[in-house]
Amino acid sequence: MAWRCWARAAGPRPHRLALLLLQPRRGFRRARPRPEEPPAAAAEARPVPPSPRRSLCPPSPTAAAGRPSPRRLVKPLLFAVGFTGSAFGSAAIWQYESLKSRVQTYFEEARADWMDKVRPQKRGDFRKQINSWWNNLTEGQRTVTGIIAANVFVFCLWRLPGMRRIMFTYFTSNPSSRALCSPMLLSTFSHFSLFHMAANMYVLWSFSSSIVSLLGCEQFIAVYLSAGVISTFVSYVAKMATGRFEPSLGASGAIMTVLAAVCTKMPEAKLAIILLPMFTFTAGSALKAIIAFDTAGLALGWRLFDHAAHLGGALFGMWYVTYGHELIWKNREPLVKAWHEMRTKNTGKGGGGRSN
């Protein structure tokens, strides 16, 4: 889930030099320095966040004073629209290139199979075992393997003390932060808690086969990345409206899009909780319960999860499989045609040059 973390609001401690300058002068005598505050009293004066939060979120730097202007949402809005369009356009071109190379790949695989039969096989070949494991995965599982690897890599970066400032700036999303646009995407791959990451990746792995068989590999990647950016923008809007500017991180917004899309298209599918497999329920009921929970959390001001990002991701997933697929993906033909003509023209020029 997309956890929230609070910034420490420790007041500025006066510098010792400033204390000396504020002492009244007595001739040429040096003013007696004011005794410093004991460490125990200083620790009691600082508000400390609840202990459970420390394991779920990184210790946050001091929050910036003042309420940011709503005009700061204009740039994230333009980024969300531009990134979504670029993601779907790139996915359409990717699908075109994949279809074009399938014939060549087929002949290469046939030749590789023939060579494996001719060459003597090595027993216990680790590479062969990896290939066998990879080939036994579904297309959806192979697709999300890269996403899971990226999340694990970013999780490892959080463990490096020297990377903390960079991670806070670019891998947590907050409308009051200095960086606004890049965290909308990067925070989708960012987890500080191992349990948080494991839960999100397990849900993604569980629904990977269904969502990829529903949308295809290329369209799924475009939907997933766009969902991360759009859900973060919804979180920005909610934080501006409520005035609560806690940083958020996690893939929950994008995963909620995947879950909502599958549950909307297959509402009668049976689901179960991993720790309670004896209790089953329909996908439609699960989606209604999740939306009701996040709506209540947003209305009542619960701060454990980023409920606005969850709702934004779920609504985007429901909208896309109902209307967005027809409006966006089905109208990709002009772009693919233009790309095909450009590729054909460049190939023709290259061929003409070689013939001369």
Side-chain angles (χ1 to χ4, degrees), residues 12-310:
R13 198 172 174 183
H15 198 278
R16 187 171 181 178
L17 178 60
L19 291 175
L20 293 176
L21 293 177
L22 291 175
Q23 294 285 346
R25 290 191 176 185
R26 299 190 181 108
F28 293 97
R29 295 180 181 178
R30 298 180 64 180
R32 184 185 305 173
R34 183 176 177 179
E36 294 185 359
E37 187 179 10
E44 293 177 359
R46 294 193 187 98
V48 179
S51 57
R53 304 262 180 207
R54 292 182 178 178
S55 61
L56 301 175
C57 304
S60 175
T62 304
R67 186 187 183 97
S69 171
R71 289 181 294 181
R72 285 176 63 85
L73 293 176
V74 174
K75 196 173 180 180
L77 175 61
L78 296 178
F79 176 79
V81 174
F83 180 85
T84 301
S86 301
F88 280 97
S90 301
I93 295 174
W94 178 19
Q95 186 185 62
Y96 166 84
E97 295 293 340
S98 299
L99 293 174
K100 190 175 180 181
S101 62
R102 277 186 181 177
V103 176
Q104 181 180 357
T105 303
Y106 172 79
F107 285 111
E108 290 178 354
E109 290 179 352
R111 180 177 178 274
D113 292 339
W114 179 79
M115 292 296 294
D116 289 339
K117 293 179 181 179
V118 173
R119 291 180 301 184
Q121 299 295 321
K122 296 181 179 179
R123 293 184 179 181
D125 189 358
F126 179 74
R127 182 176 179 182
K128 184 179 179 180
Q129 294 176 1
I130 294 296
N131 290 335
S132 176
W133 170 81
W134 180 260
N135 293 330
N136 289 331
L137 297 178
T138 64
E139 184 182 5
Q141 291 171 340
R142 289 196 295 266
T143 302
V144 302
T145 299
I147 297 176
I148 296 175
N151 280 268
V152 173
F153 176 73
V154 176
F155 173 78
C156 294
L157 292 180
W158 275 109
R159 312 271 77 80
L160 303 177
M163 293 290 295
R164 285 295 175 87
R165 185 174 296 275
I166 295 176
M167 301 301 291
F168 259 109
T169 302
Y170 297 103
F171 287 85
T172 62
S173 59
N174 191 345
S176 64
S177 176
R178 178 171 58 88
L180 284 176
C181 296
S182 55
M184 296 174 69
L185 175 63
L186 297 179
S187 63
T188 306
F189 299 89
S190 179
H191 299 83
F192 181 77
S193 167
L194 179 60
F195 174 79
H196 184 198
M197 183 186 68
N200 278 343
M201 295 303 101
Y202 174 78
V203 175
L204 179 61
W205 182 269
S206 301
F207 284 86
S208 61
S209 299
S210 300
I211 190 65
V212 172
S213 63
L214 184 66
L215 301 178
C217 173
E218 299 84 4
Q219 188 180 185
F220 160 72
I221 294 296
V223 170
Y224 184 86
L225 297 179
S226 301
V229 172
I230 291 173
S231 62
T232 303
F233 176 75
V234 176
S235 174
Y236 279 4
V237 174
K239 290 175 182 177
M240 281 288 188
T242 59
R244 299 168 181 165
F245 301 102
E246 300 93 7
S248 303
L249 73 169
S252 303
I255 292 175
M256 281 296 297
T257 296
V258 174
L259 189 149
V262 173
C263 293
T264 301
K265 295 297 289 185
M266 296 180 285
E268 300 301 324
K270 294 295 183 179
L271 303 178
I273 302 175
I274 183 174
L275 299 178
L276 301 171
M278 68 289 298
F279 297 105
T280 60
F281 42 87
T282 63
S285 300
L287 180 60
K288 293 176 184 177
I290 292 173
I291 291 178
F293 173 76
D294 284 317
T295 302
L298 183 61
L300 298 176
W302 298 344
R303 297 189 177 186
L304 184 59
F305 305 125
D306 193 341
H307 297 283
H310 290 186

